[in-house]
Amino acid sequence: MITMEHVNKTYSGGVRAAADLCLTVPSGEIFGFLGPNGAGKTTAIKMITGILQPDSGVIKANGIDIAKNPLEAKKQIGFVPDNPNMFLRLQGIEYLNFMADIYDVPLDERKERISELCSRFEMEDVLRDSLQSYSHGMRQKIILIGVLLHQPSVWVLDEPMTGLDPRSSFLLKTMMREHVENGRTLFFSTHVLDVAEKICDRLAIINKGRILFTGTIDEMREHLRKDASLESMFLELTDNEE
Amino acid sequence: MKNKTLVLTRAMLKNGGGLGFSLKSKWSWALLVLLVVWSIPVVLYGYVQMIAFAYQSLAMIGQEGVLLSWGLVISSFMVFFFGIFHVLSSFYFANDIEHYLPMPIRPRQIVGAKFFVIVLYEYLLIAFVFLPILIFFGIQQGCGVLYYVYGLIGLIFVPILPLALATLLVMLIMRVTNLTRYRELLKIIGGTVAILLGISISLLMQRFADVTPEQISELLLSGNHSLAILQTRVFPTVKWAVQALLNYEIAAGLTNLLVFAGLSGLLFAALLFLAELVYFKGVIGISESSSRRYAVRKGSLDRLVKKRSAIISYLLLEIRLLIRTPVYFLNCVLSNFLWPLILIFSFVVAPSDGDVSGLLGYAKGAINDPGLAGIALGIILAVFAFMSGSNGVAATAISREGQDLYIKHYLPISYRDQIVAKLLSSVVVGYSGVVSLTVPLAVLFGVPLYFTVITLALAFLPLALTSMSGLLLDLLNPKLEWDSEQKAVKQNLNVVFNILFSTVLAGIMVAVTVKLRLNLAWTLVVLPLLLLAACIGLYRLLVTYGVSSFRALEG
Ligand SMILES: Nc1ncnc2c1ncn2[C@@H]1O[C@H](COP(=O)(O)OP(=O)(O)OP(=O)(O)O)[C@@H](O)[C@H]1O
Ligand SMILES: [Mg+2]
């Protein structure tokens, strides 16, 4: 479970990227975070994962306050950033070993997880190559594998679908579903509305640092009193805002 | 039509390939200004004293003109030496090349533009080395305005020859190393070879420039300033520049100046011609990396999976990045082994008679003499402090993270542990340099074993101290906004600051042992205690201020 209470963040340039954010992401559901470019999705995710410190407010992962007990909170989370271009000079296997060391995954468990995940994502053949030689999608896959090694109970993904081929994207969606079916938490941002409509159990819409709506798609239809597609509701919600 | 080379040059300068240092806080600006204001007059004063001394000595034998050629030769030397580093990183290891490759630009235009950018850097160096000499000589000889005009024009052309030589050397080596699959590795080896070759050429040229007493007396008899010309055998074109300056009052001066400028221009044209042939072939493929693509079988995957503690794993990551990133390797790692190499090389290359063997004998005596051994130890540890302080591993440890710094915020490893791992990486790199310097020299000088062991054991202290100071500096004001790795390590003021710190530290260490005339036993007590106390102090700063500023960095 993730909770954000009255979280504010203003960048040094003066942009208010989070305005009194209150959000509860329950476990056992796929939670989508939607909003136009520059809405503040990445900013919120960065505060949840401990990259940015909010100006005010409280953020907890599984009840652990990220500000008070950062290491414990970070261990709960598996984070997939929007940009997979990292650790490019490492070989795939070196990266996986590094992540497992940092998240303190026991040896037997990591052997099992690495071979299982790599075969699911069809990455066994390239483990000895440097990430530099991977394609965009392959980089995304290896990062995903690294994040899943410690079986995080809270999984946070920033724009995970872009760049994946249909098979990998289907695989990811399956894994996301499996993840929440085990009673764990999943929070991801996207602006691909088709994906959101299909897989999200619940979603939040954010624009200009403010949360405009939280709930299921059906609740959104009730809220707007119309039976429309997510796309037209999204456009309406983010457009009216001035 | 606009000249593309000039357009490119402007773009490169704007993109921070130029002279600009980026300083975020006002404090570091203030510190820099203070440093410059404070140190330049001091250094300049010492330098002018040296020039005056050399001038007077030369004037006694009527050969003042030698001073000018020395100035020009030394400037050319430095341009050549530093040029190899600059050319390597800016022609071959900079990311911006990838942007230019798809543009409709000719190789010679890229090379020309990059050459200009480096030349601008070298002017700073030359101005500092040569301008004082030019002015001093001019005043002493009461030269006219034309002399200074010629001097400035000459100055413009001085870096062309040595830099063109450095570029040629690097371009040829890079062309050759680009032929196989293992390019990135070979680029690193190629860079190393280029630097070593540069060093050996410089040293060999020095030897070549040695003249016999007969030659000197012959030249002395043949009249004023003739010795000046002899000195320029190493960089032949400098000869015309010197002639131009010495004869500025007559037509011969102008002719010589024109010849000098013309030759430099010709050389530059030749360089561009060659660039057209070899540059792209050496540079294309620099971002490709070999990929093996073989299935990792079940059994072998198990063997590849290893468990380490988080700090060790982090340390390993740091070291791997240092070794695998060509720019980091050349600037931070290789530079550690450069000093040992230069030292050992100069012993091997230098004539075996006279100075060197005398020095060897003296050093041997000092280490074995209990009265002097303490001082020797102090000096050696001071050298280590300087070596490790100037390698930049610690002073760029945060800057090197660049835009990826955010990763280090979400990983569940405490900032203190990250700081410790980064310190360890600097100590490991520094220590390998120390070992590679100490062991060969110990053999060469016949140093007693116990002394070598003591030296190697105590080496940890100055290394740890200068690593901590570097890391602290970088934590307080890291340079995180860069698009090519070379900007993280070169043009990083934290390296300069840490060099200054380690110089001062080295000075204090020497002063303590020399002034107190400590014997070996006392040195073994006093120096480690001092260093340890400083280490503990800096470590406390690192885990308090260092950690909190690490946490606050937004990457
Ligand atoms: N480092 C920063 N410094 C200053 N302003 C920033 C910074 N990062 C983001 N912003 C601003 O904060 C706002 C929110 O940005 P954020 O990256 O959170 O948007 P986003 O919803 O993730 O957008 P996208 O869909 O494009 O990824 C934007 O207006 C952006 O300009
Ligand atoms: Mg975003």
Side-chain angles (χ1 to χ4, degrees), chain A residues 36-43 45 82 158-159 189 191:
Chain A
N37 293 131
K41 302 184 292 294
T42 300
T43 306
I45 286 179
D82 54 351
D158 198 359
E159 310 276 355
S189 80
H191 26 216

PDB file of all heavy atoms in Angstrom, chain A residues 36-43 45 82 158-159 189 191, ligand 2:
ATOM      1  N   PRO A  36      -1.673  14.548 -18.538  1.00  0.00           N
ATOM      2  CA  PRO A  36      -0.943  15.028 -19.718  1.00  0.00           C
ATOM      3  C   PRO A  36       0.545  15.253 -19.413  1.00  0.00           C
ATOM      4  O   PRO A  36       0.954  15.193 -18.267  1.00  0.00           O
ATOM      5  CB  PRO A  36      -1.651  16.348 -20.058  1.00  0.00           C
ATOM      6  CG  PRO A  36      -2.350  16.752 -18.822  1.00  0.00           C
ATOM      7  CD  PRO A  36      -2.649  15.519 -18.047  1.00  0.00           C
ATOM      8  N   ASN A  37       1.309  15.539 -20.454  1.00  0.00           N
ATOM      9  CA  ASN A  37       2.739  15.816 -20.260  1.00  0.00           C
ATOM     10  C   ASN A  37       2.933  16.967 -19.292  1.00  0.00           C
ATOM     11  O   ASN A  37       2.225  17.961 -19.347  1.00  0.00           O
ATOM     12  CB  ASN A  37       3.406  16.190 -21.595  1.00  0.00           C
ATOM     13  CG  ASN A  37       3.445  15.020 -22.553  1.00  0.00           C
ATOM     14  OD1 ASN A  37       3.069  15.154 -23.703  1.00  0.00           O
ATOM     15  ND2 ASN A  37       3.861  13.876 -22.082  1.00  0.00           N
ATOM     16  N   GLY A  38       3.848  16.813 -18.411  1.00  0.00           N
ATOM     17  CA  GLY A  38       4.153  17.881 -17.468  1.00  0.00           C
ATOM     18  C   GLY A  38       3.153  18.003 -16.338  1.00  0.00           C
ATOM     19  O   GLY A  38       3.157  18.981 -15.603  1.00  0.00           O
ATOM     20  N   ALA A  39       2.288  16.988 -16.170  1.00  0.00           N
ATOM     21  CA  ALA A  39       1.237  17.080 -15.152  1.00  0.00           C
ATOM     22  C   ALA A  39       1.800  16.917 -13.748  1.00  0.00           C
ATOM     23  O   ALA A  39       1.230  17.413 -12.781  1.00  0.00           O
ATOM     24  CB  ALA A  39       0.181  16.024 -15.412  1.00  0.00           C
ATOM     25  N   GLY A  40       2.906  16.197 -13.631  1.00  0.00           N
ATOM     26  CA  GLY A  40       3.480  15.964 -12.311  1.00  0.00           C
ATOM     27  C   GLY A  40       3.519  14.491 -11.939  1.00  0.00           C
ATOM     28  O   GLY A  40       3.737  14.155 -10.781  1.00  0.00           O
ATOM     29  N   LYS A  41       3.323  13.608 -12.925  1.00  0.00           N
ATOM     30  CA  LYS A  41       3.337  12.170 -12.643  1.00  0.00           C
ATOM     31  C   LYS A  41       4.720  11.729 -12.164  1.00  0.00           C
ATOM     32  O   LYS A  41       4.870  11.108 -11.105  1.00  0.00           O
ATOM     33  CB  LYS A  41       2.962  11.372 -13.910  1.00  0.00           C
ATOM     34  CG  LYS A  41       1.603  11.729 -14.487  1.00  0.00           C
ATOM     35  CD  LYS A  41       1.265  10.853 -15.671  1.00  0.00           C
ATOM     36  CE  LYS A  41       2.139  11.093 -16.896  1.00  0.00           C
ATOM     37  NZ  LYS A  41       1.977  12.417 -17.504  1.00  0.00           N
ATOM     38  N   THR A  42       5.730  12.052 -12.965  1.00  0.00           N
ATOM     39  CA  THR A  42       7.084  11.634 -12.612  1.00  0.00           C
ATOM     40  C   THR A  42       7.502  12.246 -11.276  1.00  0.00           C
ATOM     41  O   THR A  42       8.138  11.589 -10.449  1.00  0.00           O
ATOM     42  CB  THR A  42       8.064  12.033 -13.731  1.00  0.00           C
ATOM     43  OG1 THR A  42       7.656  11.384 -14.938  1.00  0.00           O
ATOM     44  CG2 THR A  42       9.478  11.615 -13.402  1.00  0.00           C
ATOM     45  N   THR A  43       7.104  13.501 -11.053  1.00  0.00           N
ATOM     46  CA  THR A  43       7.447  14.148  -9.789  1.00  0.00           C
ATOM     47  C   THR A  43       6.869  13.379  -8.605  1.00  0.00           C
ATOM     48  O   THR A  43       7.569  13.109  -7.620  1.00  0.00           O
ATOM     49  CB  THR A  43       6.900  15.588  -9.776  1.00  0.00           C
ATOM     50  OG1 THR A  43       7.384  16.264 -10.940  1.00  0.00           O
ATOM     51  CG2 THR A  43       7.350  16.322  -8.542  1.00  0.00           C
ATOM     52  N   ILE A  45       6.008  10.254  -8.503  1.00  0.00           N
ATOM     53  CA  ILE A  45       6.682   8.959  -8.397  1.00  0.00           C
ATOM     54  C   ILE A  45       8.072   9.128  -7.773  1.00  0.00           C
ATOM     55  O   ILE A  45       8.505   8.319  -6.953  1.00  0.00           O
ATOM     56  CB  ILE A  45       6.757   8.295  -9.788  1.00  0.00           C
ATOM     57  CG1 ILE A  45       5.366   7.787 -10.157  1.00  0.00           C
ATOM     58  CG2 ILE A  45       7.772   7.173  -9.809  1.00  0.00           C
ATOM     59  CD1 ILE A  45       5.282   7.132 -11.498  1.00  0.00           C
ATOM     60  N   ASP A  82      11.360   5.889 -16.024  1.00  0.00           N
ATOM     61  CA  ASP A  82      10.888   6.019 -17.406  1.00  0.00           C
ATOM     62  C   ASP A  82      12.013   5.904 -18.427  1.00  0.00           C
ATOM     63  O   ASP A  82      11.769   5.635 -19.588  1.00  0.00           O
ATOM     64  CB  ASP A  82      10.111   7.336 -17.586  1.00  0.00           C
ATOM     65  CG  ASP A  82      10.914   8.551 -17.150  1.00  0.00           C
ATOM     66  OD1 ASP A  82      12.000   8.367 -16.560  1.00  0.00           O
ATOM     67  OD2 ASP A  82      10.448   9.678 -17.383  1.00  0.00           O
ATOM     68  N   ASP A 158       7.191   3.922 -14.082  1.00  0.00           N
ATOM     69  CA  ASP A 158       6.942   5.191 -14.771  1.00  0.00           C
ATOM     70  C   ASP A 158       6.938   4.920 -16.269  1.00  0.00           C
ATOM     71  O   ASP A 158       7.955   4.548 -16.835  1.00  0.00           O
ATOM     72  CB  ASP A 158       8.041   6.203 -14.395  1.00  0.00           C
ATOM     73  CG  ASP A 158       7.621   7.636 -14.706  1.00  0.00           C
ATOM     74  OD1 ASP A 158       6.503   7.828 -15.214  1.00  0.00           O
ATOM     75  OD2 ASP A 158       8.418   8.546 -14.424  1.00  0.00           O
ATOM     76  N   GLU A 159       5.804   5.091 -16.890  1.00  0.00           N
ATOM     77  CA  GLU A 159       5.643   4.852 -18.335  1.00  0.00           C
ATOM     78  C   GLU A 159       6.273   3.535 -18.777  1.00  0.00           C
ATOM     79  O   GLU A 159       7.186   3.515 -19.592  1.00  0.00           O
ATOM     80  CB  GLU A 159       6.336   5.975 -19.141  1.00  0.00           C
ATOM     81  CG  GLU A 159       5.984   7.364 -18.705  1.00  0.00           C
ATOM     82  CD  GLU A 159       4.696   7.843 -19.341  1.00  0.00           C
ATOM     83  OE1 GLU A 159       4.147   7.124 -20.191  1.00  0.00           O
ATOM     84  OE2 GLU A 159       4.237   8.918 -18.946  1.00  0.00           O
ATOM     85  N   SER A 189       2.440   4.934 -13.987  1.00  0.00           N
ATOM     86  CA  SER A 189       1.964   6.115 -14.704  1.00  0.00           C
ATOM     87  C   SER A 189       1.952   5.792 -16.189  1.00  0.00           C
ATOM     88  O   SER A 189       2.727   4.973 -16.667  1.00  0.00           O
ATOM     89  CB  SER A 189       2.914   7.288 -14.466  1.00  0.00           C
ATOM     90  OG  SER A 189       4.041   7.177 -15.299  1.00  0.00           O
ATOM     91  N   HIS A 191       0.389   7.551 -20.254  1.00  0.00           N
ATOM     92  CA  HIS A 191      -0.615   8.343 -20.948  1.00  0.00           C
ATOM     93  C   HIS A 191      -1.198   7.556 -22.113  1.00  0.00           C
ATOM     94  O   HIS A 191      -1.857   8.124 -22.960  1.00  0.00           O
ATOM     95  CB  HIS A 191      -0.140   9.733 -21.392  1.00  0.00           C
ATOM     96  CG  HIS A 191       1.314   9.876 -21.615  1.00  0.00           C
ATOM     97  ND1 HIS A 191       2.004  11.004 -21.325  1.00  0.00           N
ATOM     98  CD2 HIS A 191       2.216   9.032 -22.074  1.00  0.00           C
ATOM     99  CE1 HIS A 191       3.260  10.843 -21.605  1.00  0.00           C
ATOM    100  NE2 HIS A 191       3.419   9.667 -22.065  1.00  0.00           N
TER     101      HIS A 191
HETATM  102 MG    MG C   2       7.083  11.668 -16.720  1.00  0.00          MG
END
